[in-house]
Amino acid sequence: MRASWADLAANSAVENAGAGAGTSANNAGPGNSLPPSRSTYVPPHLRNRPPSAEPPAPAYSGGTTSGAGTANAGSRWGAPRGGEYRSGGGGGRGSGWGNRSGGWDCGRDREVNPFGDQDDTEEAFNEQENSGINFDAYEDIPVETSGNNVPPPVNTFAEIDLGEALNANITRCKYVKPTPVQRHAIPISLAGRDLMACAQTGSGKTAAFCFPIISGILRGQPMQRPPRGVRTVYPLALVLSPTRELSMQIHDEARKFAYQTGVKVVVAYGGAPINHQLRDLEKGVDILVATPGRLVDLLERARVSLQMIRYLALDEADRMLDMGFEPQIRKIVEQMDMPPAGVRQTMLFSATFPKEIQRLASDFLSSYIFLAVGRVGSSTDLIVQRVEYVQESDKRSHLMDLLHAQRANGVHGKQALTLVFVETKKGADALEHWLCMNGFPATTIHGDRTQQEREMALRSFKSGNTPILVATDVAARGLDIPHVAHVVNFDLPNDIDDYVHRIGRTGRAGKKGLATAFFNDNNASLARSLAELMQEANQEVPAWLSRYAARSSFGGRNRRSGGGRFGGRDFRREGSFNRGGSDYYNAGNNSAGYGASGGYGAGASSAWD
DNA sequence: AAAAAAG
């Protein structure tokens, strides 16, 4: 079985133990100029004074990390920096501000090294799996772009002028080469264009929108407008995501990318004490990562203003714009004080992009570029999908059989992680209890648990302490949980997209994954799309499932409208979609280097995680 | 109908 690019990317980029080859460290980025130091309060809109012929920012100023490409030592002292010169931070509130340096901040405000949490488990897992990554597999990846004047993709980080500090972090992250989505999305974003992007998770999606944002903030022109109150903060970028845990994850990643750039990243989400988040905000925020509810709260308290927003990114954008979230998003984006589309830059990322949602989303975009990177099946062909007919009453004992078998298999001495999806919160609790009663160490994550419990469950699962996690759809999207060997759809979802997102929690990082679904009459409406999806991914479709699929061909609410491909296609082109899979629509940009070997088949969105 | 997201 061939490794997909996403897995290769994840493998090499995220988990790669192969010492960071400094492909990008030498790229002494000009234009990465920083504001002059201030010893006094500097309002946010004045913090990014355009460069006055300053040398590049210091990429590195401490001794804790080796091999970070210190570059030219002179630049470190080339200009005074806020962080190095500020005396004790003129009065609490302004303490972080004016610090774009990357120099050590005074005393307690020193930036915590976000790379410090490398866990040993990770290292141990990595050793065996990171050799022989075949980057040539990238050649197979089809790319679809549409829109006017699409900037061409880049092949290396060095080609992109992200600046020295950011490049140093890229090295620290052991990113050697941009992933396909990064190769395309970053130039588009750096060119200031709005973007609707389809990309698999694990493909460096977070970096794809974080890099341009951080880079843009570092070099940005200030928007001149007075703050309207001292307690109000004015982030320059807003990143929204549908779950608290996903926001936390994005925050963790963004902090790594922004390390020692002086760009401040703050996260705000519900279920946690707001006071701590308020304190973080008061220390200064450039990039705010948030879930919608808590953000609305902060906006209504006037503790956050969106007036200065230059960048808006929606992760899992199709989820953010579905029935449950859309009003809140509309409120945040259209009814508060955020600059309108065309003034701000907007980036939407998702894996699945139904055309109805694309249409909704276009309200938030201005003259945008549509980008789809990846090949149908590229995410899922590493995942062996099994569907078993199991009556409701037999599900528990069936699950127990699976778990026993897995335990017997024993993976490298380390207990393999199993993620079990159920339909309801109550069902999650009940199943967890039952598993524990039967000697299987399980925990659960769902919306009825306290935030503390949720976070603890996730930590415990990730660490392998509790190798079975029973989850609702709260854990279906975006979460990067390494080493999930098996996803069990104890209850199948009603929507095929949810299924795709769920099984996408395994089969990551170039490893094989296994996904088992329990199917019965209750899931008849999913039969057709499930069978189609499995066929797409070259999976064996049980004959009985095909019969179900044929039977339910009329009622198929879940069937792709128009016969498929709605995930990887620009809805603006809906007029002419009866084309072959290898013939891409493209207006002005064909990504040279990518073969036309892929093609999007029916039910295509399913391959997008 | 369920889940998520504010308290």
Side-chain angles (χ1 to χ4, degrees), chain A residues 233-252:
Chain A
V233 296
Y234 295 78
L236 303 173
L238 177 63
V239 179
L240 293 173
S241 99
T243 67
R244 298 163 182 175
E245 287 77 15
L246 185 51
S247 280
M248 295 171 61
Q249 181 180 300
I250 294 167
H251 172 246
D252 288 342

Side-chain angles (χ1 to χ4, degrees), chain A residues 59 120 176-177 202 296 321 344 435 446 467 479 509 556 604:
Chain A
D120 303 336
V176 173
K177 213 174 153 171
V296 168
L321 294 172
R344 65 164 194 265
L435 284 168
H446 60 71
L479 293 187

Side-chain angles (χ1 to χ4, degrees), chain A residues 257-558:
Chain A
F257 303 148
Y259 182 51
Q260 293 191 345
T261 62
V263 173
K264 292 179 177 297
V265 190
V266 175
V267 67
Y269 52 84
I274 202 168
N275 285 335
H276 183 80
Q277 293 171 6
L278 288 172
R279 268 201 305 280
D280 286 346
L281 288 169
E282 286 178 352
K283 284 192 240 165
V285 52
D286 298 299
I287 302 174
L288 177 58
V289 183
T291 49
R294 178 53 59 90
L295 177 61
V296 168
D297 190 357
L298 292 167
L299 291 169
E300 284 171 350
R301 295 175 188 224
R303 298 301 294 262
V304 171
S305 162
L306 302 178
Q307 262 182 64
M308 310 298 291
I309 291 293
R310 291 189 218 143
Y311 306 92
L312 168 65
L314 300 192
D315 203 1
E316 305 293 342
D318 60 334
R319 170 64 88 227
M320 302 303 283
L321 294 172
D322 81 4
M323 282 203 326
F325 272 120
E326 198 233 357
Q328 259 177 316
I329 300 303
R330 226 170 249 289
K331 174 169 186 174
I332 292 167
V333 178
E334 294 178 334
Q335 288 155 38
M336 306 304 287
D337 50 356
M338 183 166 341
V343 176
R344 65 164 194 265
Q345 188 179 342
T346 308
M347 292 167 276
L348 308 186
F349 281 77
S350 186
T352 45
F353 247 124
K355 70 179 200 298
E356 316 83 70
I357 303 282
Q358 287 191 34
R359 193 171 292 115
L360 270 180
S362 62
D363 286 356
F364 302 113
L365 298 162
S366 167
S367 175
Y368 66 96
I369 289 167
F370 177 89
L371 167 69
V373 188
R375 190 172 59 87
V376 164
S378 65
S379 163
T380 47
D381 60 6
L382 274 173
I383 304 172
V384 175
Q385 297 178 56
R386 292 196 313 215
V387 185
E388 294 168 1
Y389 195 93
V390 185
Q391 296 291 3
E392 289 296 330
S393 52
D394 297 336
K395 280 184 173 178
R396 284 183 175 182
S397 62
H398 204 83
L399 176 63
M400 174 124 51
D401 291 345
L402 293 179
L403 293 172
H404 272 303
Q406 197 164 305
R407 187 183 267 174
N409 282 341
V411 182
H412 304 311
K414 190 96 183 174
Q415 172 77 51
L417 303 187
T418 303
L419 182 50
V420 183
F421 282 104
V422 297
E423 188 69 14
T424 67
K425 295 176 280 196
K426 283 178 67 174
D429 280 335
L431 184 57
E432 179 221 15
H433 183 249
W434 183 84
L435 284 168
C436 290
M437 295 291 283
N438 285 275
F440 290 98
T443 182
T444 182
I445 184 167
H446 60 71
D448 272 355
R449 304 202 79 191
T450 68
Q451 191 54 28
Q452 262 189 334
E453 288 170 330
R454 286 165 57 157
E455 288 170 26
M456 173 127 65
L458 198 52
R459 266 199 310 274
S460 180
F461 181 58
K462 278 185 171 179
S463 72
N465 248 355
T466 316
I468 301 168
L469 179 65
V470 183
T472 59
D473 269 331
V474 71
R477 282 182 177 247
L479 293 187
D480 190 45
I481 310 171
H483 320 305
V484 173
H486 195 178
V487 169
V488 178
N489 274 291
F490 189 89
D491 302 318
L492 273 164
N494 294 313
D495 186 331
I496 191 66
D497 283 345
D498 291 332
Y499 172 83
V500 171
H501 285 281
R502 287 177 175 188
I503 68 171
R505 299 313 103 206
T506 185
R508 302 168 78 87
K511 282 185 288 188
K512 281 172 69 174
L514 174 62
T516 305
F518 296 172
F519 184 103
N520 60 39
D521 287 6
N522 298 333
N523 312 113
S525 68
L526 192 69
R528 190 181 181 103
S529 47
L530 182 57
E532 284 176 358
L533 172 78
M534 291 178 68
Q535 201 152 21
E536 281 292 315
N538 298 316
Q539 301 293 308
E540 202 176 316
V541 182
W544 59 263
L545 183 60
S546 298
R547 286 198 295 276
Y548 258 102
R551 230 181 298 163
S552 62
S553 59
F554 292 104
R557 190 177 71 78
N558 298 304

